[in-house]
Amino acid sequence: MAVTKQNRGQSTQNTASPSWTSATYASPPSMSGSDMLLVHICFGNNITVNSITHGGTNLTRAGGKWFNGRGQREEWWYLNSPVSSGSIVVNLNSSMFNGITITAMGFNGTNGVSGPIFNGGSSSPHIRSRTVSEGSMVHVTGISNSATDGITIDGTTTTGASGNLMPNQVNVNDIVSGMWSNTSHSAGSINTETDASANSNITNSYIEILGVISTPTLTVSTTALSGFTYVEGNGPSNEVTFTVSGDDLTNNVTATAPFDYEVSLTSGGVFTQSVTITQSGGDITGEPVTVYVRLKAGLPIDTYTIGTLTVSSPGATTLNLSVNGTVTAPLGKNEGSFWLLLR
């Protein structure tokens, strides 16, 4: 599944007097229904962050960096399976004399992050092409002391003046943030650029919120089909059924019969060598769906066990169902053979 952003909130706390060793975001957005909490902090001191907690639970540090030329430290921390509510507390290892901005975001369909990767610290533009994992989402943050500087993500520019401005009182800077999601659920790349016309120092941090890739799966009610029979010249056989269900499918399902058999989605309907079973949103429509199977008409006397009936969908393991049917001789034909042997 692809990652989706559930909630987002921010707390900016101005220069402290007296100094402080911790900062609290008392009422962050609800994390109800979120698989992961992602926290980004920015402040104007080169101080180590000892821990960040949410509702008393420690977050995991993804990474951080001090930009000497910018006088800024950025940190990214995350927590899987957060509680629905609770304050966010940032604990430092020494006193801080400047303000801090704490941004909290909740995501679904994820259980971790990759990165962060940091660029910048000078006035030149910072252009990077990043590989994006299947189903992931990317968060890019740019920090500049000019509200008109922007950040461009795959051709779309967001600026502090006209876009998603996140004011940051640390050294009177602005944070500009953009979100890009790989909605096609396939691996690809993303180009990020901090403003090419920037006339001041600007930084760029990039973190990938990893998608949980679900494997398409198929389920059938049985893996052995038997009891198909008819007397020679009287086919086709009786119908034998099984049901199909699916999870996290990316395409429709195909049920294909072996050569001497045929299938249908309707009892007494049109039977063919294969049928297509539709899916929607990863599940088979109206599941479980019943598939009707029968032995073809016109077959000679024999037992028919060669081949398997397959149930398949791209990305899912193909399921094989064995078949066992017989075409028997008419009673009179058997009797004739019996008397012939006696003579």
Side-chain angles (χ1 to χ4, degrees), residues 39-242:
V39 172
H40 173 265
I41 62 173
C42 179
F43 52 95
N45 296 88
N46 189 14
I47 298 173
T48 300
V49 179
N50 285 338
S51 66
I52 298 180
T53 62
H54 174 252
T57 301
N58 284 312
L59 277 69
T60 299
R61 184 177 185 265
K65 183 175 181 178
W66 165 251
F67 292 95
N68 189 53
R70 293 289 303 116
Q72 298 282 356
R73 171 167 285 280
E74 278 193 80
E75 294 273 339
W76 290 95
W77 295 63
Y78 70 96
L79 173 66
N80 290 326
S81 304
V83 296
S84 59
S85 61
S87 59
I88 295 173
V89 180
V90 178
N91 298 298
L92 307 172
N93 76 339
S94 59
S95 298
M96 178 174 64
F97 295 89
N98 290 313
I100 186 171
T101 297
I102 305 170
T103 304
M105 294 165 279
F107 296 91
N108 254 348
T110 181
N111 60 5
V113 298
S114 176
I117 300 172
F118 298 95
N119 305 310
S122 66
S123 59
S124 59
H126 305 284
I127 303 172
R128 296 289 186 273
S129 180
R130 305 291 184 195
T131 299
V132 182
S133 301
E134 182 177 355
S136 295
M137 182 176 281
V138 169
H139 191 281
V140 183
T141 299
I143 303 176
S144 171
N145 61 7
S146 171
T148 59
D149 286 342
I151 185 166
T152 300
I153 303 175
D154 271 359
T156 301
T157 300
T158 301
T159 66
S162 60
N164 182 22
L165 174 66
M166 299 189 295
N168 174 15
Q169 299 303 315
V170 181
N171 291 347
V172 198
N173 295 321
D174 291 320
I175 300 178
V176 180
S177 174
M179 183 70 73
W180 180 87
S181 175
N182 189 348
T183 55
S184 66
H185 296 221
S186 59
S189 63
I190 175 175
N191 293 315
T192 65
E193 175 185 354
T194 48
D195 201 340
S197 61
N199 54 16
S200 58
N201 289 340
I202 188 167
T203 65
N204 174 325
S205 71
Y206 165 104
I207 193 166
E208 184 177 353
I209 299 94
L210 297 174
V212 178
I213 305 304
S214 301
T215 301
T217 57
L218 292 168
T219 305
V220 292
S221 57
T222 182
T223 57
L225 302 172
S226 61
F228 306 97
T229 184
Y230 67 86
V231 176
E232 184 186 30
N234 293 332
S237 75
N238 55 299
E239 298 172 359
V240 177
T241 64
F242 69 96

Side-chain angles (χ1 to χ4, degrees), residues 262-285:
E262 52 193 2
V263 290
S264 176
L265 296 179
T266 306
S267 177
V270 176
F271 279 75
T272 57
Q273 202 69 45
S274 66
V275 292
T276 298
I277 304 168
T278 59
Q279 67 85 30
S280 178
D283 296 325
I284 291 176
T285 305

Side-chain angles (χ1 to χ4, degrees), residues 18-29:
S19 62
W20 51 15
T21 56
S22 68
T24 300
Y25 186 176
S27 300

